[in-house]
Amino acid sequence: QVRLVESGGDSVQAGGSLRLSCEASAYRPHMAWFRQTPEGREGVAAIDGRYYTKYADSVKGRFAISYDNAKNTVYLQMNNLRTDDTAMYYCASGYISGDPTLIASEYKFWGQGTQVTVSA
């Protein structure tokens, strides 16, 4: 069992930046961020133990995922935020082999979420 605790969600104006954090109770090489809106769940960014990363097309060039192994913490730096980035953001981890993935069913452990609201 791995416990994940997200933080950093806030309300910002479009064009602004936020950094989300997710602290894990134990090291897991595969970590990811997902977001949930009324339209559904979307994989945002993923990272693995080799620091390989994968991003959704909608956030490429604006978001960056990183991992501090010493702190068992994964970050999501979000720049140039848009109103359609508004969502509940969840951290996830799982027993995954291979490259980073944005497939939600691959992840076994989920955090409680942190809300990001972007206003025009």
Side-chain angles (χ1 to χ4, degrees):
Q1 186 73 20
V2 176
R3 192 168 72 97
L4 304 171
V5 180
E6 303 100 330
S7 61
D10 205 344
S11 296
V12 296
Q13 288 192 320
S17 297
L18 282 175
R19 188 176 81 156
L20 305 183
S21 300
C22 171
E23 183 175 0
S25 59
Y27 171 74
R28 294 300 313 163
H30 279 266
M31 302 287 289
W33 287 95
F34 289 79
R35 61 189 180 186
Q36 183 78 44
T37 68
E39 287 71 42
R41 181 168 53 187
E42 178 187 22
V44 176
I47 190 168
D48 72 6
R50 302 163 295 175
Y51 299 104
Y52 289 4
T53 57
K54 185 179 181 68
Y55 295 95
D57 289 343
S58 59
V59 306
K60 281 180 182 176
R62 300 187 300 121
F63 290 11
I65 189 171
S66 61
Y67 201 176
D68 185 336
N69 288 352
K71 297 180 179 179
N72 289 341
T73 298
V74 64
Y75 302 97
L76 184 68
Q77 178 66 43
M78 305 186 294
N79 299 324
N80 193 20
L81 282 161
R82 309 185 310 213
T83 55
D84 60 358
D85 293 318
T86 295
M88 182 71 80
Y89 283 73
Y90 295 90
C91 176
S93 180
Y95 303 108
I96 300 169
S97 60
D99 293 337
T101 178
L102 295 177
I103 300 173
S105 60
E106 296 284 339
Y107 292 88
K108 181 178 178 66
F109 306 109
W110 294 80
Q112 81 289 350
T114 187
Q115 178 68 37
V116 172
T117 302
V118 184
S119 58

